[in-house]
Amino acid sequence: MHDLIIVGGGPAGTSAAVYAARKRLKTIFLTSEWGGQSAVSSEIQNWIGTPHIMGADLADNLKKHVEEYKGEFLEIVSPSEATQLKTFDDHVEVVTKKGAYSASAVIIATGANRRKLDVPGAAEFDQKGLTYCASCDGPLFAGQDVAVIGGGNAAFETALQLLAYCKSVTLLNRTENFRADEISIAAAKAHANMRIVLNAEPTEVVGGPSPGGFVSGIKYKDAKSGEETLLPVAGIFVEIGLLPSSTWLANVLELNAVGQIKVDPRTQRASHRRVWAAGDITDGIYHQNNIAAGDAVKALEDVYMFIRKNKSEA
Ligand SMILES: Cc1cc2nc3c(=O)[nH]c(=O)nc-3n(C[C@H](O)[C@H](O)[C@H](O)COP(=O)(O)OP(=O)(O)OC[C@H]3O[C@@H](n4cnc5c(N)ncnc54)[C@H](O)[C@@H]3O)c2cc1C
């Protein structure tokens, strides 16, 4: 049986893997993909020690760093999707589509996914003008009018990417305040072709008749006056938050109301004594690459103490 299973190949899971291998814990590392959410980012400027890096390059570096330790102590199974966690008094088991793995402890670092826009037309026009990834689909809308839905860092980062080649970008924010950094807001506002609409609640995605039709606009309601407006756009980029990748953990661990794993922030330990969690999957208030990596190192240190104590008592 292994000492540890790590699930997730973003900044959290990869940090845990490097530390686990260096401490010579017998570890299995499972991930469906490498790099995590910011792998799609065109530029990351706050990965400490690296002033500028493309998301894809950061993902590649994380993968290379883990692979450097592949061997006697670290086994990598990728791509591999965990579908079930079983907890026992004396071990844990992670079930994947390819097989099941047992260990003394598990660190869960499965992060989060984009929240979907839930208004009429959103599902119908998904990938037909409505998209959740500016880096992937943005260039298709060069020279056109587009909308961005959201008011956090991801929404402003998306707007900034699109401003480089779209005719105009209109950001629709549901409230009067943004959750984004001041620096990103100021950078977007500085563009002549940027427009921001506050208190704008999307009500419908409109477009050509199905099948084969594409987005032609988005309707939104002013949250104060109730007045509805149709904004003609060719593309809609949705950045309205994240959903934790925890459906496979329901009924096994204590999750909060939005599905994040409840952890002790001093140790990252979850509700079962053999389970730890790190990064965006947890109920930590702040979620960033550096925080995910730090959480994971904290979790690993605690796992190490737990395993060492267990071995000395056996
Ligand atoms: C567009 C965008 C830009 C961002 N830019 C920045 C930035 O500039 N700076 C910054 O600090 N933060 C940024 N963030 C936030 C940052 O990406 C996250 O805080 C960080 O990725 C969280 O890391 P994580 O390892 O916890 O989870 P994730 O990055 O979500 O990684 C989860 C990993 O788990 C894997 N996985 C999921 N489910 C399973 C499963 N069932 N079985 C096996 N593997 C699974 C996934 O494939 C993935 O590898 C950005 C986020 C987005 C969306």
Side-chain angles (χ1 to χ4, degrees):
M1 191 165 70
H2 287 77
D3 291 319
L4 177 63
I5 302 168
I6 297 169
V7 192
T14 53
S15 302
V18 168
Y19 272 68
R22 291 175 63 78
K23 287 194 183 286
R24 303 188 156 217
L25 295 179
K26 209 145 174 50
T27 302
I28 296 237
F29 177 82
L30 310 170
T31 189
S32 22
E33 282 173 30
W34 290 90
Q37 294 159 54
S38 57
V40 296
S41 192
S42 57
E43 180 163 280
I44 296 168
Q45 299 179 352
N46 55 10
W47 180 241
I48 297 305
T50 310
H52 303 272
I53 188 164
M54 277 175 62
D57 292 339
L58 174 63
D60 205 35
N61 286 351
L62 295 175
K63 182 178 180 202
K64 277 191 202 139
H65 203 165
V66 174
E67 285 181 340
E68 187 123 340
Y69 291 95
K70 189 171 157 182
E72 187 187 347
F73 291 98
L74 181 64
E75 186 182 334
I76 299 170
V77 189
S78 167
S80 175
E81 188 187 336
T83 53
Q84 199 185 356
L85 172 68
K86 296 180 184 174
T87 53
F88 304 91
D89 198 37
D90 60 347
H91 73 286
V92 288
E93 194 178 309
V94 173
V95 180
T96 72
K97 289 182 176 167
K98 292 179 183 163
Y101 303 90
S102 295
S104 294
V106 61
I107 296 179
I108 297 168
T110 48
N113 281 307
R114 311 289 167 86
R115 185 184 293 277
K116 298 274 183 183
L117 183 66
D118 186 17
V119 298
E124 185 184 343
F125 292 104
D126 198 334
Q127 300 309 312
K128 292 175 186 161
L130 184 139
T131 160
Y132 294 82
C133 181
S135 309
C136 322
D137 304 326
L140 302 172
F141 298 89
Q144 308 199 58
D145 297 309
V146 299
V148 174
I149 317 286
N153 279 325
F156 275 90
E157 192 181 312
T158 292
L160 283 165
Q161 280 185 38
L162 297 170
L163 281 162
Y165 45 77
C166 288
K167 187 173 160 199
S168 78
V169 177
T170 303
L171 184 139
L172 304 179
N173 187 42
R174 286 188 66 179
T175 63
E176 230 148 84
N177 304 308
F178 301 115
R179 283 169 286 109
D181 301 334
E182 290 299 333
I183 203 161
S184 305
I185 299 170
K189 280 183 174 170
H191 284 258
N193 51 345
M194 177 77 199
R195 199 175 142 233
I196 292 175
V197 186
L198 300 176
N199 301 308
E201 280 180 13
T203 51
E204 188 183 346
V205 174
V206 291
S210 277
F214 278 82
V215 163
S216 61
I218 181 156
K219 285 186 185 168
Y220 63 89
K221 190 174 76 177
D222 184 299
K224 286 188 171 164
S225 67
E227 189 188 334
E228 198 169 59
T229 304
L230 171 62
L231 176 72
V233 286
I236 300 169
F237 293 81
V238 184
E239 290 291 352
I240 54 173
L242 298 167
L243 289 174
S245 306
S246 62
T247 42
W248 62 289
L249 301 164
N251 308 321
V252 185
L253 298 175
E254 272 184 42
L255 307 179
N256 68 9
V258 293
Q260 295 164 324
I261 301 173
K262 289 189 184 179
V263 293
D264 175 345
R266 292 174 312 150
T267 59
Q268 300 299 128
R269 205 178 207 155
S271 55
H272 189 276
R273 70 188 196 100
R274 291 181 181 275
V275 183
W276 283 255
D280 284 18
I281 189 70
T282 71
D283 65 346
I285 302 174
Y286 306 108
H287 291 133
Q288 284 280 279
N289 285 323
N290 294 291
I291 294 174
D295 277 358
V297 174
K298 209 195 303 171
L300 195 280
E301 294 290 355
D302 209 52
V303 167
Y304 179 68
M305 295 310 289
F306 172 79
I307 287 172
R308 216 170 65 164
K309 186 164 175 273
N310 269 11
K311 282 186 177 166
S312 68
E313 284 170 2

